[in-house]
Amino acid sequence: MTSTERITATAPAYGEVGSLTRVPLRHYGRWVSAVVVLALVALLVRAFAQGSIEWSVVGRYLTAGAILHGLLNTVIITLCSMALAIVLGVVVAVMRMSANPVTRTVAFGYIWLFRGIPVLLQLLIWYNLALVFPTIGFGDFQWRTIDVMTPFMAALLGLGINMSAYTAELVRAGIVSVDKGQIEAAQALSLTPGQIRRRVVLPQAMRVILPPLGNEFISTLKMSSLAAVITYGEILETAEFIYYANNRVIELLIVAAVWYLVVVSVLSVVQHFVERRFGRGFQHLGTRRTSRRVKGGAA
Amino acid sequence: MSEAVVRAISVEKSFGSVHVLRGVSLDVHQGEVLCVMGPSGSGKSTLLRCINQLERIDGGELWVRDELVGYRMRNGKLHELTEKQIARQRRGIGMVFQRFNLFPHMTALGNVIEGPMRALGQNKSEAVAAARALLDRVGLADKHDAYPAQLSGGQQQRVAIARALAMRPYLMLFDEPTSALDPELVGEVLDVMKTLAADGMTMVVVTHEVGFAREVGDTLVFMDEGIVVESGKPADVLTAPQHPRTREFLSRVLG
């Protein structure tokens, strides 16, 4: 009853308030949290600036020949393993979705095995393969495993096969996400199964696959540092070699960290453009474009 | 109306334990517009999908242009066709879906040239010229480069019709082409279909549009529970249905 009384007490000013100035709600909490976070960041920066880190050493080694060579090796092993992972991943994904129960089961087993074992352990197994098979080859063509299984080969197989198990699941999820009506429409145009896969299913699946694939690329880049244990000369191993000699441990680790961040940033930019390419026909669904256009029109 | 383009003889189809088609027989003649009506679950869409081999029939015979659909006769047995052979059989049959099913990653023009270029082996300039003419014909002269997401439902369905026509079909199948459209967009799609019928295209149309069936249809088939309950001239079936189930359905549809 009180509410009714209050409403009748203040007589409503119908038609008179519409032109009054509108005051936006002030978010004081946001100002407080921004100040707190900035203070914490400042403390952290000060701590590192005053800590016993020789930043000049970091600067000097950032572009040292040995470090750049290690960086090149890191980039090479990442690109090669990812290429292998994508090829194997697509094959395993297609096998996993096959109507043939044998290929389906084998694909399932492959994913179970290589996703289940830690990468570090897989790298060690590939690197020590000579203990199991002294020679490998077909018939009369035999090579000594120790010659074939170089640190590069072991790292490539270890990283590439491990990532392919994840890629297979990504690719499968992407293919499953394509509407069945798309395949029927393509069949009705009398496209062959191969044409349907290439022209209709994969381009649409790519849209779903690309964002997690980008993450996987970044994971592979970072996981390639594990190849240091099998003496592959990537950037972390190079940094370790240098600090064994000069004892500038943290400085050289920071050098490696900086380069990882640089490569990850470059990959993110590349990913952005590739995603946009495969998002053709879809970006118009988003609200971002329209809202931007509306804002532009108002300005 | 002599030659039968489609001839269904006691066609049967089951999905698991659900018997969807229980012996459907009908003929579609050259230049005929055959409309199929019936309650949902009556098997009308399944029949259409069987003609285009999106489903494989379990029993009976399906003939398209005197060729057995989906099988080859050898040594007194029916052998299933390969995917390639099926693709070849589908080549002259256009299909329009309820939910359009345009390729979202291609423009309207891209959608229309895809079939002619990949399946018919036309070169690009030839396919593009034909596609532009078709898009103009369905009233989308200014939408050639639009992606499906930028088009209304009615425009998308007209692109879908142009896409099917680009294959130069002798038979067009329409699976409830206006059921997913807002009411004000139904007319523009039906108009395109009317022109097509007037040009002599052989058409099988699964629809709930009574007006279209009456005006454009040569034959109206009423299906229920997997069989053809009644068929005849649309005017006759609609005004004086013989079967009680047709009467019941029409009284609900016509209100």
Side-chain angles (χ1 to χ4, degrees):
Chain A
M1 272 295 114
T2 42
S3 61
T4 345
E5 283 161 23
R6 198 177 298 156
I7 284 168
T8 41
T10 47
Y14 292 132
E16 290 165 22
V17 299
S19 56
L20 298 181
T21 313
R22 283 152 215 264
V23 183
L25 179 62
R26 301 262 191 262
H27 298 278
Y28 298 106
R30 289 183 194 172
W31 286 99
V32 174
S33 57
V35 169
V36 170
V37 169
L38 281 178
L40 289 174
V41 170
L43 284 174
L44 199 67
V45 169
R46 202 175 66 119
F48 270 91
Q50 291 179 343
S52 52
I53 301 172
E54 284 284 350
W55 290 99
S56 63
V57 175
V58 174
R60 191 143 32 87
Y61 278 101
L62 207 53
T63 52
I67 289 289
L68 291 181
H69 189 250
L71 175 66
L72 182 68
N73 279 342
T74 292
V75 170
I76 288 174
I77 194 69
T78 304
L79 292 177
C80 292
S81 329
M82 215 46 214
L84 180 67
I86 290 171
V87 171
L88 287 177
V90 170
V91 171
V92 174
V94 170
M95 284 173 68
R96 182 102 161 76
M97 290 188 298
S98 146
N100 183 336
V102 176
T103 50
R104 220 166 43 216
T105 311
V106 168
F108 178 82
Y110 178 95
I111 293 169
W112 172 80
L113 186 71
F114 290 108
R115 203 170 57 169
I117 302 175
V119 196
L120 183 55
L121 206 157
Q122 289 188 47
L123 287 170
L124 290 170
I125 290 178
W126 286 111
Y127 191 52
N128 292 303
L129 202 66
L131 302 177
V132 191
F133 310 106
T135 63
I136 45 175
F138 310 94
D140 292 337
F141 299 95
Q142 294 288 338
W143 292 274
R144 293 194 320 139
T145 306
I146 210 151
D147 297 334
V148 176
M149 206 46 77
T150 58
F152 174 80
M153 272 308 272
L156 174 67
L157 291 174
L159 293 171
I161 291 178
N162 173 261
M163 288 323 277
S164 74
Y166 289 93
T167 311
E169 289 294 86
L170 292 185
V171 171
R172 189 171 70 97
I175 291 175
V176 168
S177 77
V178 177
D179 181 30
K180 200 165 144 274
Q182 290 290 310
I183 297 162
E184 290 182 349
Q187 286 176 327
L189 289 175
S190 64
L191 300 189
T192 60
Q195 288 173 327
I196 295 174
R197 255 197 306 277
R198 274 195 316 279
R199 300 285 308 163
V200 176
V201 177
L202 277 181
Q204 293 185 61
M206 284 305 274
R207 207 173 60 85
V208 177
I209 295 170
L210 278 174
L213 193 68
N215 278 340
E216 206 169 274
F217 222 114
I218 289 168
S219 298
T220 310
L221 172 73
K222 292 181 298 179
M223 267 198 273
S224 70
S225 64
L226 292 174
V229 298
I230 56 168
T231 72
Y232 178 69
E234 47 70 65
I235 190 165
L236 184 60
E237 209 213 14
T238 315
E240 284 174 348
F241 267 131
I242 298 174
Y243 73 61
Y244 289 152
N246 69 3
N247 254 340
R248 295 290 188 187
V249 178
I250 289 296
E251 286 81 357
L252 278 146
L253 289 179
I254 290 176
V255 166
V258 167
W259 277 118
Y260 276 114
L261 287 173
V262 168
V263 178
V264 168
S265 307
V266 171
L267 283 181
S268 305
V269 172
V270 172
Q271 184 182 6
H272 171 77
F273 284 103
V274 176
E275 275 178 27
R276 207 167 63 172
R277 169 77 171 64
F278 280 96
R280 277 178 316 175
F282 289 93
Q283 65 264 52
H284 317 287
L285 294 169
T287 49
R288 227 176 52 197
R289 275 195 154 207
T290 8
S291 65
R292 201 181 288 164
R293 200 176 298 146
V294 169
K295 261 185 210 159
Chain B
M1 300 230 297
S2 52
E3 190 199 335
V5 177
V6 180
R7 170 160 286 181
I9 304 169
S10 320
V11 169
E12 308 242 352
K13 174 70 191 173
S14 299
F15 293 107
S17 60
V18 187
H19 208 165
V20 184
L21 298 180
R22 304 164 178 260
V24 172
S25 302
L26 55 79
D27 281 1
V28 185
H29 299 278
Q30 179 73 46
E32 181 178 7
V33 176
L34 182 120
C35 294
V36 186
M37 281 190 170
S40 60
S42 58
K44 51 199 193 310
S45 285
T46 304
L47 176 67
L48 212 60
R49 293 165 58 83
C50 286
I51 296 174
N52 209 13
Q53 301 188 61
L54 295 176
E55 312 289 353
R56 190 189 289 281
I57 65 173
D58 302 325
E61 298 164 28
L62 198 49
W63 298 81
V64 171
R65 277 190 156 182
D66 299 331
E67 204 179 322
L68 196 56
V69 169
Y71 292 95
R72 204 155 44 111
M73 269 179 295
R74 206 171 29 170
N75 303 332
K77 285 181 182 161
L78 293 180
H79 295 267
E80 290 182 357
L81 297 183
T82 64
E83 289 284 352
K84 272 228 170 82
Q85 291 167 323
I86 291 174
R88 189 191 55 78
Q89 277 197 338
R90 285 187 181 123
R91 206 163 287 167
I93 306 176
M95 180 145 185
V96 174
F97 298 86
Q98 182 178 351
R99 302 224 51 98
F100 330 136
N101 296 352
L102 291 181
F103 305 131
H105 56 301
M106 299 178 190
T107 61
L109 189 70
N111 268 277
V112 180
I113 63 173
E114 188 64 16
M117 282 181 66
R118 309 289 153 186
L120 303 182
Q122 286 182 12
N123 65 42
K124 187 157 188 186
S125 58
E126 187 186 358
V128 167
R132 290 200 185 279
L134 277 169
L135 285 170
D136 293 351
R137 185 172 146 198
V138 297
L140 294 170
D142 53 339
K143 299 290 184 190
H144 292 194
D145 299 317
Y147 283 96
Q150 296 167 309
L151 299 173
S152 74
Q155 291 170 333
Q156 288 190 54
Q157 194 61 299
R158 284 185 282 153
V159 174
I161 294 173
R163 177 173 72 172
L165 291 176
M167 296 292 289
R168 301 184 196 287
Y170 54 82
L171 168 68
M172 284 285 285
L173 308 174
F174 292 86
D175 188 4
E176 303 200 29
T178 57
S179 298
L181 296 177
D182 291 337
E184 79 271 20
L185 303 177
V186 168
E188 62 190 58
V189 172
L190 291 182
D191 285 345
V192 170
M193 293 168 61
K194 279 176 201 166
T195 340
L196 211 51
D199 290 348
M201 177 64 76
T202 311
M203 293 160 64
V204 181
V205 187
V206 171
T207 185
H208 292 300
E209 297 290 335
V210 175
F212 177 84
R214 188 193 301 269
E215 190 185 336
V216 184
D218 297 305
T219 313
L220 176 59
V221 168
F222 181 78
M223 284 181 69
D224 194 18
E225 295 182 353
I227 54 163
V228 173
V229 173
E230 187 168 351
S231 74
K233 293 232 167 299
D236 299 344
V237 177
L238 289 168
T239 46
Q242 299 301 302
H243 200 282
R245 275 191 276 178
T246 320
R247 250 173 285 171
E248 192 197 333
F249 177 77
L250 287 176
S251 71
R252 269 184 286 131
V253 170
L254 299 172

